[in-house]
Amino acid sequence: MEVTFFRHGIAVDRADPLAPVDFERPLTIDGKNKTESAARGLRALGVRPALVVSSPFKRCVQSARLVAQVLGLSKKAVRELEVLSPTADPHALWSELALAGHESVLCVGHGGAIEPAAGAALGFEDPSSEAVFRTLHLKKAGALQLDVRFEPGLSAQLSWLVSPKVLRQIGRV
């Protein structure tokens, strides 16, 4: 299974006194623009998911819908999954995706969920470690792709990891 992780775009700063609760923080205008531009980079890289799943947090759902639209998918093609929330167990996502049965999935989430989930698939002993964070860290609207196998047991190979800036540049070509 080809699994592409995309970190949500820039959201309203949580320190802003007018910011809503974390779950409801939306993308900023700049966040929307950069997310859309990065999504064009995903399209140029040939990302064609059969399924788009997102953390239920507003900024993730907004990012997932923008990416789905750029990739020619319906906004309604986005499914929300609690296992992509920031504090989710990094192994829980893989149980969900194994049942999905799709060849290609795009997961939109938070850095605190993406790196540990990818680390678990790549076989890191402690997927929530600082080493995993440093190795697989994505800036907002950045992406990485794994080639995942579920039998025998979960294993993956890193296909690519691209910064948001490079994604936006690729999308301009």
Side-chain angles (χ1 to χ4, degrees):
M1 171 186 289
E2 183 181 271
V3 178
T4 304
F5 285 102
F6 185 85
R7 186 168 174 194
H8 67 76
I10 301 164
V12 170
D13 190 332
R14 74 183 75 208
D16 182 335
L18 299 176
V21 295
D22 191 40
F23 185 81
E24 290 295 324
R25 285 191 305 121
L27 294 176
T28 63
I29 297 215
D30 188 42
K32 288 177 184 177
N33 292 337
K34 287 183 175 180
T35 298
E36 190 174 343
S37 182
R40 286 193 292 275
L42 291 177
R43 184 178 62 206
L45 287 170
V47 174
R48 300 286 182 261
L51 175 66
V52 178
V53 293
S54 171
S55 160
F57 284 56
K58 186 171 189 168
R59 58 194 176 272
C60 293
V61 173
Q62 287 178 312
S63 295
R65 288 180 177 160
L66 282 169
V67 172
Q69 183 178 6
V70 169
L71 297 179
L73 304 168
S74 162
K75 288 181 185 178
K76 295 182 186 234
V78 176
R79 277 189 22 211
E80 296 177 28
L81 287 180
E82 285 291 330
V83 295
L84 281 165
S85 294
T87 58
D89 174 352
H91 299 280
L93 172 66
W94 300 111
S95 299
E96 292 273 343
L97 294 183
L99 297 173
H102 294 284
E103 300 234 352
S104 179
V105 177
L106 174 72
C107 299
V108 180
H110 313 265
I114 291 171
E115 288 103 352
L122 290 166
F124 281 86
E125 191 172 315
D126 178 2
S128 298
S129 72
E130 182 67 24
V132 171
F133 178 80
R134 283 193 315 269
T135 304
L136 301 174
H137 179 65
L138 293 176
K139 291 186 176 186
K140 292 178 175 115
L144 69 81
Q145 189 174 86
L146 301 176
D147 181 22
V148 179
R149 302 278 179 256
F150 292 103
E151 292 180 16
L154 175 64
S155 65
Q157 197 168 23
L158 180 65
S159 301
W160 49 258
L161 188 151
V162 184
S163 72
K165 183 177 182 180
V166 171
L167 274 176
R168 293 191 306 269
Q169 289 171 344
I170 292 169
R172 288 187 203 121
V173 176

